[in-house]
Amino acid sequence: MIPKITLKKIAAEFNVSIATVSKALNDSHDISTKTKEKIQEFAKKHHYKPNKVALSLLNKKTKTLGVIIPNIMNSFFTEVFVGIEEKATELGYSLISCISNESYEKELNTVELLKSGTIDGFIVSLAEETQINKNFTHLIDAINEGVPVVLFDRVTDEIKCDKVIVNDFEGARHATNHLIKTGCKKIALVSVIDNLSVGKLRVEGYKKALSDTFISIDEKIIVRLTKKEDFETSMKIILADKNIDGLLCLEESSALESLKLIKSMNYKIPQEMSIICFTNGKLPQYVSPTITTISQHGKYIGETATKMLVDRIESKQEIEFSTKIIKTSLIERETTKQLK
């Protein structure tokens, strides 16, 4: 086997430093034309391929971003990742991605593994366990060690960094208002994400819409469920109240399960029961009837977070931390009545 040619071997061949070889191969003006041509010709003859890790040690940049997503089965995070990947490629960066599966331990281990020279910065949406435990030391330490972090969607005020968030409060308020304006008198809410910052904001938005229209808030029809609880049984108890004629689901899977249950109970949709859910993934568009959704513009969030991180990595001066707020959009489909 022919031994692999390296920067070190090329440097030894010409009795120059590794940095000089790197500059010559990158056609730097700091190196004489004669020396550049000799090194480039030698490298080409010996089929030199750049070692990204070696170059990153020289440049103190890896041109790689770490991405930690809590749940890839959630279509919103899939859309965000598409945006991250497209923008990173456009800006000349590669990605190392990890799915924390809502685990604090996995999120922690990934940050510890990647922050020591493997990546230039992180794009992170906090795991459910991280938000429950309120332990953000691993990310705060990374920032203090010079590794920038951009948080998106699930964020915390305890970490001082750039953030991209959805206006979840306003999205839920707008959705609830839409149900009221289309004639719903008693609107239930279903949350399986009550441990998350976004879930709490959506509940507050729902309550604000009710209070603004002088509808009393009934905690009994705000359904907060954990993954271990029986969704169908809990929902059947709520839907036994025939006065309920509207349903706001705080994420996609609960909307799909609710729709299936409501159809089995022979409700007429949307005449007797209207449904709106977060977020605008593919499934709500292809079930029957199609579900009215609140779009969070996941792809744009991914693009924005990536641009913010790369701008910070490449900036030669201090930039103040900023928070970008993305507005939601209501996508009307068959589970809600038309405004009169």
Side-chain angles (χ1 to χ4, degrees):
M1 183 180 292
I2 300 171
K4 184 179 179 181
I5 196 74
T6 63
L7 287 175
K8 187 176 180 180
K9 288 179 181 177
I10 298 173
E13 178 71 23
F14 293 96
N15 195 28
V16 296
S17 68
I18 292 173
T20 298
V21 174
S22 178
K23 287 179 179 180
L25 295 176
N26 285 292
D27 205 24
S28 170
H29 297 299
D30 295 342
I31 309 299
S32 70
T33 303
K34 186 177 179 181
T35 302
K36 273 196 294 187
E37 287 176 351
K38 283 183 179 180
I39 291 174
Q40 288 172 359
E41 185 180 342
F42 182 86
K44 185 177 180 182
K45 181 180 177 182
H46 290 84
H47 308 289
Y48 169 75
K49 299 290 182 186
N51 182 319
K52 288 186 177 181
V53 174
L55 289 173
S56 72
L57 291 172
L58 282 171
N59 301 327
K60 297 183 180 178
K61 289 285 186 292
T62 66
K63 299 289 282 186
T64 303
L65 309 178
V67 182
I68 306 178
I69 289 175
N71 180 0
I72 201 66
M73 297 303 290
N74 184 316
S75 64
F76 167 71
F77 290 116
T78 306
E79 289 176 20
V80 173
F81 187 79
V82 169
I84 292 171
E85 197 279 330
E86 287 187 7
K87 181 57 71 173
T89 300
E90 177 189 319
L91 297 174
Y93 282 73
S94 301
L95 300 178
I96 296 177
S97 57
C98 170
I99 304 163
S100 66
N101 279 329
E102 309 292 6
S103 163
Y104 164 78
E105 200 70 32
K106 190 166 185 182
E107 183 182 285
L108 167 68
N109 291 339
T110 301
V111 171
E112 292 300 315
L113 176 68
L114 297 182
K115 73 177 181 180
S116 301
T118 308
I119 52 96
D120 294 334
F122 286 105
I123 300 172
V124 181
S125 186
L126 297 171
E128 183 175 0
E129 283 186 2
T130 304
Q131 289 207 306
I132 293 170
N133 297 339
K134 296 183 179 180
N135 189 345
F136 312 111
T137 307
H138 54 303
L139 291 166
I140 294 169
D141 286 348
I143 294 166
N144 291 338
E145 290 166 26
V147 182
V149 173
V150 174
L151 292 179
F152 74 91
D153 189 51
R154 303 182 190 176
V155 304
T156 174
D157 291 336
E158 293 186 39
I159 302 176
K160 305 303 179 187
C161 67
D162 296 310
K163 294 161 190 167
V164 186
I165 60 173
V166 175
N167 196 333
D168 287 286
F169 175 91
E170 185 58 31
R173 191 189 71 82
H174 180 51
T176 308
N177 272 332
H178 186 78
L179 290 170
I180 294 166
K181 287 176 182 176
T182 53
C184 294
K185 304 294 184 187
K186 193 170 186 179
I187 302 163
L189 178 142
V190 185
S191 175
V192 295
I193 55 171
D194 201 54
N195 289 321
L196 304 177
S197 55
V198 293
K200 291 178 172 62
L201 285 167
R202 291 171 193 177
V203 171
E204 291 307 309
Y206 156 85
K207 288 182 175 180
K208 183 72 167 77
L210 295 181
S211 61
D212 283 350
T213 49
F214 306 103
I215 297 174
S216 59
I217 296 166
D218 184 354
E219 291 289 341
K220 292 177 184 175
I221 61 172
I222 298 176
V223 186
R224 295 178 171 92
L225 298 171
T226 64
K227 294 172 185 175
K228 296 178 182 178
E229 291 178 274
D230 188 327
F231 184 90
E232 184 173 333
T233 300
S234 300
M235 285 304 297
K236 277 184 176 178
I237 293 169
I238 292 297
L239 294 172
D241 181 350
K242 297 296 182 180
N243 290 316
I244 293 174
D245 55 2
L247 194 61
L248 177 62
C249 299
L250 299 194
E251 50 73 66
E252 199 171 273
S253 65
S254 62
L256 296 170
E257 290 187 62
S258 296
L259 177 64
K260 181 180 176 182
L261 182 60
I262 288 164
K263 286 169 69 176
S264 74
M265 297 174 74
N266 297 316
Y267 276 92
K268 292 179 183 177
I269 305 171
Q271 295 88 345
E272 296 174 340
M273 181 67 71
S274 296
I275 307 168
I276 298 179
C277 81
F278 288 78
T279 62
N280 188 38
K282 293 295 182 187
L283 288 175
Q285 302 175 47
Y286 295 114
V287 293
S288 180
T290 55
I291 302 175
T292 295
T293 58
I294 303 151
S295 175
Q296 296 165 276
H297 308 292
K299 185 170 179 285
Y300 180 66
I301 289 172
E303 292 169 353
T304 303
T306 307
K307 180 69 165 54
M308 290 176 81
L309 181 57
V310 171
D311 283 349
R312 183 163 293 280
I313 290 166
E314 297 185 351
S315 175
K316 294 179 181 177
Q317 56 190 14
E318 287 292 320
I319 308 173
E320 284 191 20
F321 294 129
S322 64
T323 297
K324 300 282 179 70
I325 302 173
I326 310 300
K327 291 182 179 179
T328 60
S329 303
L330 187 70
I331 312 297
E332 294 184 57
R333 297 196 180 95
E334 295 171 346
T335 58
T336 49
K337 291 169 275 189
Q338 295 293 311
L339 283 169
K340 295 177 181 178

